[in-house]
Each structure stands twice: as structure tokens, then as C-alpha cells.
Amino acid sequence: MIKLSEISTIPPEGLKKDDVKKEFEDLRERIADLQTVMAAEGKYSLLVVFQGMDSSGKDGVSRKVFKECSPVTLSVRAFKKPSDEEFAHDFLWRVHKYVPQKGHIQLFNRSHYEDILIQRVHNWIDEDLVDARIKAINAFEDLLWKDNKTVILKFFLYLSKDEQERELKQRISEPEKNYKHRDGDWEERRHWDRYMFCYEEAINRCNVHPWTIVPADDEWYRNYVVAKKIVETLEALDMKMPLLDKSKIDIGIPIDDL
Amino acid sequence: MIKLSEISTIPPEGLKKDDVKKEFEDLRERIADLQTVMAAEGKYSLLVVFQGMDSSGKDGVSRKVFKECSPVTLSVRAFKKPSDEEFAHDFLWRVHKYVPQKGHIQLFNRSHYEDILIQRVHNWIDEDLVDARIKAINAFEDLLWKDNKTVILKFFLYLSKDEQERELKQRISEPEKNYKHRDGDWEERRHWDRYMFCYEEAINRCNVHPWTIVPADDEWYRNYVVAKKIVETLEALDMKMPLLDKSKIDIGIPIDDL
């Protein structure tokens, strides 16, 4: 059982920032190499879910960790307030459309987890529906792996309440961050403890695929933790570049001396 | 009237490759900055269409030119052989779904132009339908700009027939490129002259938004030409970072001393 109150939002003591940043550069090059093999082999896909409070860095981590990747087989989907049509469907309907095809990497900025987070925090749904949704999430994530070899990595970007306050204030005080300000972020902040409870529940009860709790107060460490987990996970798949069977090539000319 | 036979597939003489590569680095940083403003302002969107013969570098240019961009508001859609469902609709149906929303950049790797290229080359459609499709394309692209401020840039990656042969052979001879080989690419190559005629028609008759003919035999020059056109086009929009009207902020606490 994970207790968020026992987990730090800052990097472990003694880590050298410069060393970590250097290793991070290598890790993200490696992610791009692994992306190339994944796309060429077309056997697996990767779904990366980023969850976290406002300003925890969901956009930033997407940009930094996947910097060396090709956009050709990498997509990001941000799940914002559902449209009327989305609300008129089950909660997985809008999410299912965006799961990655074989060979592709898909990032979710927020996800189906919002439906047991913001909705539960505000009691817009009752606990019976929470239970049903948790079951549905587990079945859904299990299906993606078993039926289509989609690897799922879920990251909770764990920010402290104080750090969030600094970040949200900067959005008001620094003109180049003004566009990120939303009054509503300050309202959600008032429900901090309830959010942490609901996150803990989501993390502990939806564990068919692993969550990684990412200390998110410092951007450099946050990015590193995410990149490292992705590299370790993709390397364990033992993917291989497919080779041509030359006896099967049929291009109308001899290929002997290519 | 553009005549492809009068246009070179290689860089102009006298250009210094190192200088061009250096300017290219600056240009792609600039594209990322412009992407940030576009996303923040949410007024315009950008649709970039890449067309070209097999191995002309449609994937490569997407990866290199947009290297500094965030994947959060950048997407790539590759239009391959239509599915049965897509074939059972008009040719714009599958394309329309992927046009960018305000603030986003969308790349098309192939596009609605295939429907007046491969289909016309092989005479799968008659000339009346070609005329109708050209009219439809012009109306469609006009609509995207006028109705939703979508800037459209279309790039024909103009490769020589000899350079294509070298590239296609490498896909067979070099193991790490094996996964790119398709027998069918050699078949399409036999229709080269007919393709050039159909491209010329597409370029000359679908000019509501401009085409850029990109000499594509050399990767470094190809990338530079594309990046330069994108920067010039986006800079001309005169986009601005939106600033907060502080009198309208309502976050439940005074903001005077943020």
C-alpha cells in the first residue's frame, strides 16, 4: 500500500544535479532509439499516462523526455473537460479512441483517471460508481496489454502544495506564463487533501499496470525518473529491428548486386 | 505555370553546407518558439502537407524540422492505403477528421493529394472525377483558412529518379533500413513520368494555398528550405502571447502581492 504522506516530492539527498542531467540526456537519446525499433518491429506499443495536480509538469515532461523522438509515431492527447457528447457516453469511450496502435507511443495528459479523481473529489459520482469505474479501468488496462501488447506506464507527478502555490503565482506575475492561468486551478487547490486521498486510492486499487510516483518539485529530477522508467521498461521487451528475407523480395529486377 | 523539368532536385551552386546547417538549427529553434505563441494565443493553426515519391524524406523532414517542438500541440498523420470504410466515403472524409484545431500544428505525411496522384496515375478514376476532386480540394483548403484561420503549407519533396534508386536499394542492402522496404515502391517507380505529370497538375491547379517545390536529393538542403518557409509564414502572422487582464482574475485571494 502506497501512502503519499510517506513519499517525498523532492530528489533524494546527495544526488548531483549535473550528473543526473547528463544521464538524462543519454536516457532520452535511448528512448528515441527504442522508439525507432518499436515502430520498425510493429509488435508492441506504449501508452504513457501522466497524472498530477495543476502545474505538476505534465506538458513539460512530455516535451523534455520525448525531445529526441520522432513525432511520426508519437502522439499526445490531453483530456480536458469532457464535451457534451463525451459526457453522454461511458467514461472510457473518449479514452479508448486514443490508445496507441502497434509500433506507436501515445502520451495521455490526464486520462480516464480523472473520472475517479476530480469527479470523486467533488462527489459528482457516488462510491458505487467509483468501485465500478475502478473495476472497469483494471479490465481495460489488462485488455490493452493482453490483446494488443500495449505497455502501460502511469506516472503520478507528485508535487507539494507549497510548490504548486509558487507555480500558480508565477502564472499571474510572469507575463510569458500568463496564458497558463486558470481561475479554476485555485479552486481545485482548496481540495488538496481530498485529491491526495483519491490519488492514493487510484494508485493502490488500479495496479494491473504499475504506477510510478514521481517527485515533481524539481523539474530535472522529475524528468529523469520518468525517462529512466521508460528506458528500463522498453529495454525489457527485447525488441529487434526486423530483417528482410531476401528470397521473398519481388521487385522485377535482380537484387544480387544491390 | 510550374514545370518540374525546369526545376533542380539539388541545392543551388555555391551554397555552403555548414552555413546552411547552422542557419537551419536557428530556424528550428524559432519554429518551436512560434509554436509556443501559436498554442498560447489559440488564434491560428498550421497544416503542413508533405508530398513526394517514396523515399523522398517525408518522415525525415517531419522529424528534423520539428525537432525542437513540443509534441503536446504537434501531431503527424500518415495517410496510407485507405481502409474499406475510408474507401466507402468521399476522398476528403478521412482527411477532414485530422485538420488541426486552433493553436495546433498538424503534419500530413501524404494527404488528400494522393487521390489525384496515385489514383490518377493508374487511371483508377476518370478525368471528370479528377476535375471534381481538384475543385473540392481548392474549396476545402479555402474553407480551412477562411473559417478557422488554418494556415496551409504544402511541400513537394522533389527527388530525382536516380536518387530514389539509390535510396530504395539501400533499404535492401542495409539491414537497419530493411524495415522500410516495400516491393510496391519499385512498381510505383515504373510510372515516374506519369507521376511527375500528375504532380505538376496538382501543384498548378491546386494553388489556393502555396506549394513549395523542395529540392530533396540532399537532406540538409531539403530540411532548410522547409524550415525557412515555415518560419517566414508564421512570422508574417504577427502572433502575440496573450496577457492576463488582472482585473478579471477571481481566485478567492488578493493578487496584489504575487
Side-chain angles (χ1 to χ4, degrees):
Chain A
M1 285 286 286
I2 283 165
K3 293 275 287 173
L4 288 174
S5 60
E6 293 166 3
I7 296 175
S8 176
T9 62
I10 58 171
E13 262 184 78
L15 261 195
K16 284 188 183 144
K17 183 171 165 182
D18 285 349
D19 293 351
V20 170
K21 283 179 117 171
K22 202 154 166 265
E23 194 186 335
F24 174 66
E25 299 282 330
D26 294 339
L27 287 168
R28 67 182 185 181
E29 293 276 359
R30 184 78 188 116
I31 291 173
D33 292 342
L34 288 159
Q35 178 197 29
T36 303
V37 186
M38 179 177 269
E41 193 181 49
K43 188 173 165 187
Y44 299 100
S45 59
L46 174 65
L47 173 59
V48 180
V49 172
F50 291 117
Q51 284 288 161
M53 299 297 284
D54 295 312
S55 88
S56 59
K58 299 180 288 294
D59 279 345
V61 82
S62 302
R63 177 167 191 165
K64 294 298 171 92
V65 170
F66 299 92
K67 173 115 183 3
E68 301 301 324
C69 286
S70 168
V72 174
T73 57
L74 171 72
S75 303
V76 183
R77 180 72 190 174
F79 292 96
K80 301 188 177 171
K81 190 179 170 219
S83 68
D84 288 348
E85 189 191 22
E86 288 169 346
F87 257 134
H89 286 87
D90 72 89
F91 79 107
L92 289 177
W93 181 77
R94 67 172 184 158
V95 172
H96 209 152
K97 286 198 260 188
Y98 290 96
V99 299
Q101 67 181 82
K102 283 178 189 296
H104 283 216
I105 298 176
Q106 176 72 51
L107 315 185
F108 281 179
N109 179 327
R110 304 188 187 274
S111 65
H112 43 296
Y113 283 99
E114 289 300 321
D115 299 281
I116 54 167
L117 290 165
I118 187 169
Q119 295 209 18
R120 190 181 189 188
V121 164
H122 295 284
N123 300 310
W124 297 334
I125 53 173
D126 65 26
E127 287 298 307
D128 283 348
L129 191 51
V130 170
D131 293 344
R133 285 186 175 178
I134 286 173
K135 262 193 201 150
I137 288 173
N138 286 333
F140 174 61
E141 294 185 0
D142 199 35
L143 168 82
L144 293 183
W145 168 249
K146 288 189 179 148
D147 207 75
N148 206 43
K149 294 274 180 286
T150 300
V151 175
I152 304 177
L153 288 175
K154 300 175 294 194
F155 295 97
F156 172 50
L157 306 182
Y158 186 33
L159 190 73
S160 67
K161 200 174 173 189
D162 285 350
E163 182 59 29
Q164 194 204 38
E165 187 177 1
R166 273 189 291 277
E167 297 280 346
L168 293 185
K169 281 179 173 173
Q170 279 179 5
R171 293 179 175 185
I172 296 171
S173 61
E174 296 181 16
E176 71 277 17
K177 292 188 178 175
N178 274 185
Y179 75 95
K180 295 183 179 179
H181 170 81
R182 300 281 177 279
D183 284 355
D185 294 351
W186 290 80
E187 168 58 24
E188 292 311 312
R189 180 176 159 73
R190 288 193 188 94
H191 306 279
W192 192 273
D193 293 343
R194 176 85 175 138
Y195 264 108
M196 291 308 114
F197 166 78
C198 293
Y199 264 112
E200 247 174 31
E201 283 264 302
I203 291 165
N204 285 310
R205 296 176 65 189
C206 298
N207 53 7
V208 172
H209 294 277
W211 281 93
T212 303
I213 318 290
V214 184
D217 281 4
D218 290 283
E219 190 184 313
W220 59 274
Y221 187 65
R222 174 197 79 200
N223 294 343
Y224 167 78
V225 170
V226 171
K228 195 165 174 70
K229 180 72 186 178
I230 290 170
V231 167
E232 285 171 357
T233 304
L234 294 186
E235 283 185 340
L237 294 176
D238 198 26
M239 298 181 289
K240 287 186 178 64
M241 291 294 277
L243 294 179
L244 270 179
D245 177 349
K246 293 198 180 168
S247 71
K248 289 190 177 149
I249 294 176
D250 177 16
I251 58 173
I253 56 166
I255 62 151
D256 291 345
D257 35 62
L258 292 186
Chain B
M1 284 287 285
I2 283 166
K3 293 276 287 173
L4 288 174
S5 60
E6 293 166 3
I7 295 175
S8 177
T9 61
I10 58 173
E13 260 183 82
L15 261 197
K16 282 186 185 148
K17 185 173 165 180
D18 286 348
D19 293 350
V20 170
K21 283 179 116 170
K22 201 153 165 267
E23 193 184 336
F24 173 66
E25 299 282 330
D26 295 340
L27 287 168
R28 66 182 185 181
E29 293 276 0
R30 183 80 189 114
I31 291 173
D33 291 342
L34 288 158
Q35 178 197 26
T36 303
V37 185
M38 180 178 271
E41 193 182 49
K43 186 171 165 189
Y44 299 99
S45 58
L46 174 65
L47 173 60
V48 180
V49 173
F50 290 118
Q51 285 287 160
M53 298 297 283
D54 295 309
S55 87
S56 59
K58 299 181 288 293
D59 279 344
V61 82
S62 302
R63 177 169 191 163
K64 295 297 171 97
V65 169
F66 300 92
K67 174 113 183 4
E68 302 302 325
C69 286
S70 168
V72 174
T73 57
L74 169 72
S75 304
V76 183
R77 180 72 191 174
F79 293 96
K80 301 189 175 170
K81 192 183 168 212
S83 68
D84 288 349
E85 190 191 21
E86 288 169 346
F87 256 134
H89 287 86
D90 73 89
F91 78 108
L92 289 176
W93 181 79
R94 67 172 184 159
V95 172
H96 210 152
K97 286 197 261 188
Y98 291 97
V99 300
Q101 66 181 81
K102 283 177 189 296
H104 283 215
I105 298 176
Q106 176 73 49
L107 315 185
F108 281 179
N109 178 326
R110 304 189 188 275
S111 65
H112 43 295
Y113 283 99
E114 289 300 321
D115 299 281
I116 55 167
L117 290 165
I118 188 170
Q119 295 209 17
R120 189 181 190 188
V121 164
H122 295 284
N123 299 309
W124 296 335
I125 53 173
D126 66 24
E127 287 297 307
D128 283 349
L129 191 51
V130 170
D131 292 344
R133 285 187 173 176
I134 287 172
K135 260 193 203 152
I137 287 172
N138 286 333
F140 173 61
E141 294 185 0
D142 200 34
L143 168 81
L144 293 183
W145 168 249
K146 289 188 179 149
D147 207 74
N148 205 44
K149 294 276 180 282
T150 299
V151 175
I152 303 177
L153 288 175
K154 300 175 292 191
F155 294 98
F156 172 51
L157 305 183
Y158 186 33
L159 190 73
S160 67
K161 199 175 175 189
D162 286 349
E163 182 58 29
Q164 193 204 39
E165 188 177 1
R166 272 189 292 277
E167 298 279 347
L168 292 185
K169 281 181 174 173
Q170 280 178 4
R171 294 179 175 185
I172 296 171
S173 61
E174 296 181 16
E176 71 278 15
K177 292 188 177 173
N178 274 186
Y179 75 94
K180 295 183 180 179
H181 170 81
R182 300 282 177 280
D183 283 357
D185 294 351
W186 290 80
E187 169 57 25
E188 292 311 311
R189 178 176 161 74
R190 287 192 190 93
H191 306 280
W192 191 274
D193 293 344
R194 176 82 175 140
Y195 264 107
M196 292 307 112
F197 166 78
C198 293
Y199 263 111
E200 245 173 37
E201 284 264 302
I203 291 164
N204 285 310
R205 296 176 65 190
C206 298
N207 53 8
V208 172
H209 294 276
W211 280 93
T212 304
I213 318 291
V214 184
D217 282 3
D218 291 280
E219 192 184 312
W220 59 273
Y221 187 65
R222 175 198 78 200
N223 294 343
Y224 166 78
V225 170
V226 171
K228 196 167 173 66
K229 181 72 187 179
I230 290 170
V231 168
E232 284 171 359
T233 305
L234 295 187
E235 282 185 340
L237 294 176
D238 198 25
M239 297 181 289
K240 286 186 179 64
M241 290 296 275
L243 294 180
L244 270 179
D245 178 348
K246 293 199 180 166
S247 71
K248 289 190 178 149
I249 294 176
D250 177 16
I251 59 173
I253 55 167
I255 62 152
D256 291 346
D257 36 63
L258 292 186

